[in-house]
Amino acid sequence: MTIPLPMAVSIKCTSWWYASFMKRATITLPDDLEQALERFVDEQDIPVQLTAVVQAAVREYLGERGYLPSASKLRIRPAERGSGKDDVSASHDRYLSST
């Protein structure tokens, strides 16, 4: 992915529905941030959109400062009593596929 210098990010609205819930913004980044962002996007195993990376970074930044509710962490606790089966971890496909 080639990102032109100086880097400007535009969030484009492609439909009226999308436009009604999204704001359009243009940002200018200094060279060091542009290069780091380009390296990050290039090193991903699965292609990512620049817009998604910027949105995730802003969401994380604002969440850490209390301006957005933080995502609740998945908390898995063992059941007080087990399922009674001792091979669930080894035979999970069989248990999940049965109805």
Side-chain angles (χ1 to χ4, degrees):
M1 175 177 171
T2 303
I3 302 173
L5 295 174
M7 180 180 186
V9 178
S10 294
I11 303 170
K12 296 181 181 179
C13 301
T14 57
S15 69
W16 70 270
W17 181 87
Y18 195 70
S20 66
F21 295 104
M22 300 290 284
K23 292 285 187 182
R24 182 180 208 171
T26 301
I27 61 171
T28 303
L29 300 173
D31 291 343
D32 61 333
L33 287 179
E34 180 267 331
Q35 291 166 0
L37 187 55
E38 186 173 346
R39 277 194 321 269
F40 174 81
V41 169
D42 288 343
E43 290 176 3
Q44 301 310 298
D45 293 334
I46 299 172
V48 293
Q49 292 183 349
L50 184 60
T51 302
V53 174
V54 172
Q55 287 175 358
V58 171
R59 186 173 301 281
E60 181 178 331
Y61 181 87
L62 294 175
E64 288 175 355
R65 285 154 183 78
Y67 291 97
L68 284 174
S70 60
S72 61
K73 294 182 180 177
L74 179 62
R75 295 185 180 157
I76 299 175
R77 288 178 236 115
E80 290 180 22
R81 299 183 119 193
S83 66
K85 304 194 186 308
D86 60 1
D87 65 339
V88 175
S89 64
S91 304
H92 53 80
D93 288 339
R94 181 167 47 100
Y95 288 107
L96 292 173
S97 66
S98 63
T99 54

